[in-house]
Amino acid sequence: MSATVRTILGEKGRNVITVGPTVSVADAARVLYHNKIGAVVVVGMENRIVGIFTERDLATAIGKHGSEAMDLPVSKLMTANVFRCTEDTTVNQLMEMMSSKRFRHVPVENAGKLIGIVSIGDVVKQRIREVELEAEHIKAYIAG
């Protein structure tokens, strides 16, 4: 049985770096840089997700608007249609979602509120742990 997002959040923690929708692209880029992350969740009232701003969104903004993009609010350039998951989403379901939708970061919600974020790196680490555990069980079974 595949582990769930709850397992991943239990390992990595539930801290999520967020910005408001009026933050400039330049400020959002600084947040990405200083926190060594690839995405920030854009939240509105009551910590509700209104979008996500990623490195890909930053590159697209600069390619489309040039240096003027840096002064625009992230709400103008973020991905507004954010795919989310819950703590009960399995790693296999998450891998399918990330692969088919081509997302590397998926916010985690509970009752409409942001409670975590999972990256493709988190998913890969969890999957490696599962494969290693399975290999250990097979070795133990063979050894008798």
Side-chain angles (χ1 to χ4, degrees):
M1 180 166 175
S2 180
T4 63
V5 168
R6 182 177 288 105
T7 305
I8 293 173
L9 294 179
E11 291 285 323
K12 74 172 271 188
R14 296 171 180 272
N15 186 39
V16 183
I17 306 297
T18 63
V19 297
T22 60
V23 166
S24 72
V25 168
D27 287 341
R30 280 190 273 287
V31 169
L32 293 173
Y33 170 74
H34 288 299
N35 289 284
K36 297 179 174 73
I37 55 176
V40 290
V41 179
V42 184
V43 294
M45 302 295 287
E46 297 179 7
N47 209 31
R48 297 204 182 262
I49 300 167
V50 296
I52 191 166
F53 187 75
T54 67
E55 294 167 318
R56 186 179 295 159
D57 294 325
L58 178 60
T60 300
I62 293 169
K64 185 175 182 180
H65 301 286
S67 62
E68 292 87 35
M70 302 310 276
D71 296 324
L72 295 173
V74 292
S75 61
K76 298 283 186 199
L77 302 164
M78 69 186 182
T79 300
N81 186 20
V82 181
F83 285 85
R84 303 158 167 93
C85 67
T86 68
E87 289 181 293
D88 295 325
T89 303
T90 67
V91 170
N92 288 343
Q93 291 169 325
L94 197 56
M95 285 190 306
E96 173 61 31
M97 179 193 305
M98 290 176 141
S99 178
S100 66
K101 305 294 184 194
R102 300 181 51 93
F103 290 131
R104 295 179 302 212
H105 301 87
V106 177
V108 184
E109 276 187 329
N110 184 14
K113 293 191 179 176
L114 178 65
I115 61 165
I117 191 166
V118 180
S119 73
I120 191 70
D122 300 327
V123 172
V124 168
K125 285 179 198 171
Q126 180 60 40
R127 192 65 189 113
I128 288 170
R129 279 193 288 268
E130 288 175 3
V131 169
E132 287 174 344
L133 183 60
E134 185 178 320
E136 288 300 317
H137 286 152
I138 290 170
K139 286 179 190 174
Y141 177 76
I142 292 170

